[in-house]
Amino acid sequence: AKVLSEYADIIMLRTSSHKNLEEFGKYLNIPIINGLSDQSHPCQVLTDLFSFEEAKGSISGKSVAWLGDGNNNMSNSLIEAAGKFDFKLKIGCPNKYKPNKKIMTWAKKNKANVLVTDNPAEAVKDVDCVMTDKWVSMNDKVNKKAKKKSLKKYQVNKKLMNLAKSSALFMHCLPVGRGEEVTDEVIDGKQSIVWTQALNRVHVQKSIINWCLN
Ligand code: NVA
């Protein structure tokens, strides 16, 4: 960290453990961007909000469904985003994988509009955007088979997608587990904007760097 502070103006760290990020940041004299940790994924979520707004206009007052693991890096950052950007977030997940207490306390304190339900149909009903992610995240030391089994009914397939608004977008941060959290029909379908999201990462990250340096 000390050496890189001499070389660079800013650093992005993508790491499996959030503790690495905090520890590394302690010794830096330059800004650090969280490029991904097991706790949060803010650059991806900012890109997703940008991608939504580019396609549909302001996200304020709109609704987003998150299906699958309610306690991973993406869902944590989405909860924070719901509080800051004023959209309704409906998380459909089994009780075992619901958001952790710390983030829900934050959500309450910050008046984030977040509903957690174990009913996938309730989560996607009439939303403007449906999102999901890999069922087993990096650094997730679980019994993969058991976790995938309990998440099966949260797979984003055509039947669930049809419960959202007909204009709803489908998003995924990639890489994808085809046939697990999402079917080919949905990720390759007309409502999916996953490749645009991937492209937008480049531009949103340039903006984040710009913001930090200014
Ligand atoms: N939530 C995913 C994101 C991968 C870029 C994971 O942590 O594996």
Side-chain angles (χ1 to χ4, degrees):
K2 292 279 187 208
V3 171
L4 290 176
S5 296
E6 299 299 318
Y7 288 178
D9 295 308
I10 190 160
I11 191 160
M12 173 181 272
L13 188 64
R14 196 172 156 103
T15 176
S16 51
S17 165
H18 199 77
K19 286 196 188 89
N20 292 342
L21 197 81
E22 286 171 344
E23 181 73 4
F24 195 71
K26 260 197 237 162
Y27 303 99
L28 278 175
N29 301 321
I30 54 176
I32 183 167
I33 299 172
N34 173 3
L36 168 76
S37 78
D38 57 349
Q39 186 179 303
S40 56
H41 202 0
C43 291
Q44 180 67 47
V45 167
L46 282 172
T47 303
D48 297 348
L49 300 189
F50 174 78
S51 303
F52 182 94
E53 298 206 334
E54 190 179 50
K56 301 268 172 206
S58 173
I59 196 154
S60 169
K62 299 284 195 325
S63 52
V64 174
W66 172 263
L67 285 185
D69 187 352
N71 189 27
N72 80 353
N73 44 18
M74 280 295 294
S75 55
N76 282 338
S77 289
L78 256 186
I79 291 170
E80 291 180 332
K84 292 196 180 286
F85 295 92
D86 190 33
F87 60 89
K88 180 172 176 118
L89 178 62
K90 298 199 280 175
I91 298 178
C93 61
N95 272 335
K96 193 166 175 210
Y97 298 108
K98 66 182 184 197
N100 62 70
K101 272 203 186 112
K102 192 172 161 208
I103 192 77
M104 288 314 281
T105 305
W106 183 93
K108 215 170 163 188
K109 206 168 139 201
N110 290 277
K111 298 190 170 56
N113 191 350
V114 181
L115 170 95
V116 181
T117 171
D118 63 358
N119 179 349
E122 186 187 4
V124 296
K125 184 96 183 91
D126 294 330
V127 293
D128 298 285
C129 181
V130 178
M131 291 189 189
T132 187
D133 189 8
K134 274 200 108 78
W135 283 340
V136 180
S137 277
M138 52 165 208
N139 216 20
D140 191 357
K141 296 181 181 61
V142 282
N143 177 329
K144 291 189 183 142
K145 220 169 147 191
K147 186 171 184 186
K148 287 180 181 182
K149 196 171 164 213
S150 61
L151 288 170
K152 228 172 169 170
K153 74 171 183 177
Y154 301 88
Q155 179 193 66
V156 184
N157 50 37
K158 198 77 195 144
K159 201 171 150 206
L160 267 188
M161 201 63 204
N162 283 344
L163 298 175
K165 283 187 185 152
S166 57
S167 58
L169 299 172
F170 170 75
M171 293 197 201
H172 191 303
C173 68
L174 306 177
V176 59
R178 286 177 179 266
E180 294 189 349
E181 72 271 11
V182 62
T183 59
D184 286 349
E185 196 180 13
V186 170
I187 196 163
D188 297 328
K190 279 210 293 269
Q191 287 163 276
S192 169
I193 59 160
V194 298
W195 309 116
T196 307
Q197 283 174 268
L199 165 67
N200 284 341
R201 278 296 292 273
V202 178
H203 304 299
V204 172
Q205 282 175 195
K206 285 189 290 189
S207 294
I208 293 169
I209 292 169
N210 203 28
W211 184 83
C212 289
L213 293 179
N214 283 325

